[in-house]
Amino acid sequence: MPPPISSIMAQDWLRAVWSDGATIRHQWMPYEKISPYAALAVIAGEDQRFPEHYGFDWIEIRQVLDDLEAGKSARGASTLSQQVAKNLFLWSGRDWIRKGLEAWFTVLLELLWSKQRILEVYLNIAEFGEYTFGAEAASRRFFDKSAAQLTAREAARLAAVLPNPRRYRVDRPSVYVLKRQRWIERQMRQLGGTAYLDRL
């Protein structure tokens, strides 16, 4: 069954009610009714080892630790599974309590759900713009079509804002977003196109 709401959506709903009266845009869509380009784009942009790992990408984590040791700025290494755990059950932030709970929920998700189910939930609860959650709501808002009709380019544009959908815009893409979109499109092709999803 679709989760009725995620923790992050609930927090945004409260913020909207008490501040500017905005409404949350969200419509659950089954995995089969979302363009495979959307699934491929979020994997290409966020977690290319998604089919292989068990919730934690130790290769990426090691790279982040090496970067920190070399004095480079910190960057995220969260997998799609970790992002689902955070968005569905927890809150934003970088405190250790939240990180510990995120790890626990990630292990549970990987034990109880298939990769396709994790990806389905991710595609339905990820934030693609202010008060806009899920591929269906984002597709309707930004492209005036259902998520089933998303092209590879449109899916890559949606995935390009995922690092920070409050800062980056789908409808008014910055140079960074356009550059990231092109990079995601290249990664989608290098992964082998939508046939890559057969590995899930």
Side-chain angles (χ1 to χ4, degrees):
M1 290 180 62
I5 194 169
S6 74
S7 175
I8 300 296
M9 270 189 258
Q11 292 166 53
D12 261 27
W13 178 78
L14 288 172
R15 183 168 62 90
V17 166
W18 292 110
S19 61
D20 50 18
T23 57
I24 297 291
R25 293 180 175 95
H26 176 254
Q27 182 180 347
W28 180 273
M29 196 57 60
Y31 181 82
E32 299 78 20
K33 294 187 177 179
I34 299 174
S35 167
Y37 292 121
L40 182 62
V42 298
I43 290 174
E46 297 288 301
D47 186 3
Q48 293 188 15
R49 284 183 280 273
F50 179 64
E52 286 90 42
H53 66 63
Y54 295 98
F56 305 94
D57 186 342
W58 298 109
I59 295 171
E60 194 67 23
I61 290 169
R62 182 70 214 165
Q63 184 61 56
V64 169
L65 293 174
D66 288 346
D67 288 350
L68 289 173
E69 196 174 295
K72 296 179 183 176
S73 59
R75 59 185 176 84
S78 293
T79 63
L80 294 181
S81 304
Q82 288 175 276
Q83 291 179 52
V84 168
K86 181 196 78 172
N87 291 346
L88 196 55
F89 301 113
L90 303 169
W91 61 93
S92 296
R94 294 183 176 270
D95 58 275
W96 288 106
I97 293 174
R98 201 222 74 194
K99 277 296 194 185
L101 290 170
E102 178 186 294
W104 168 249
F105 281 118
T106 298
V107 170
L108 288 179
L109 292 181
E110 286 280 340
L111 285 172
L112 299 174
W113 285 355
S114 68
K115 288 290 188 178
Q116 191 176 96
R117 174 62 172 171
I118 292 170
L119 186 56
E120 176 184 50
V121 174
Y122 182 87
L123 288 167
N124 276 284
I125 67 173
E127 185 176 9
F128 292 98
E130 190 171 34
Y131 304 126
T132 303
F133 294 87
E136 180 67 17
S139 183
R140 297 273 180 197
R141 177 180 177 186
F142 300 120
F143 302 115
D144 197 27
K145 61 170 69 174
S146 74
Q149 299 171 308
L150 284 169
T151 65
R153 178 165 290 174
E154 291 163 345
R157 172 79 61 86
L158 290 177
V161 304
L162 286 174
N164 192 339
R166 303 274 173 92
R167 178 178 176 189
Y168 305 123
R169 301 281 301 263
V170 174
D171 52 346
R172 288 190 302 219
S174 63
V175 172
Y176 169 81
V177 169
L178 293 173
K179 182 179 176 183
R180 183 167 161 77
Q181 175 189 337
R182 289 190 294 271
W183 178 83
I184 290 172
E185 289 181 70
R186 287 195 303 274
Q187 296 302 304
M188 291 165 72
R189 290 191 294 271
Q190 289 174 13
L191 288 174
T194 55
Y196 182 85
L197 300 173
D198 294 339
R199 299 168 62 183
L200 301 180

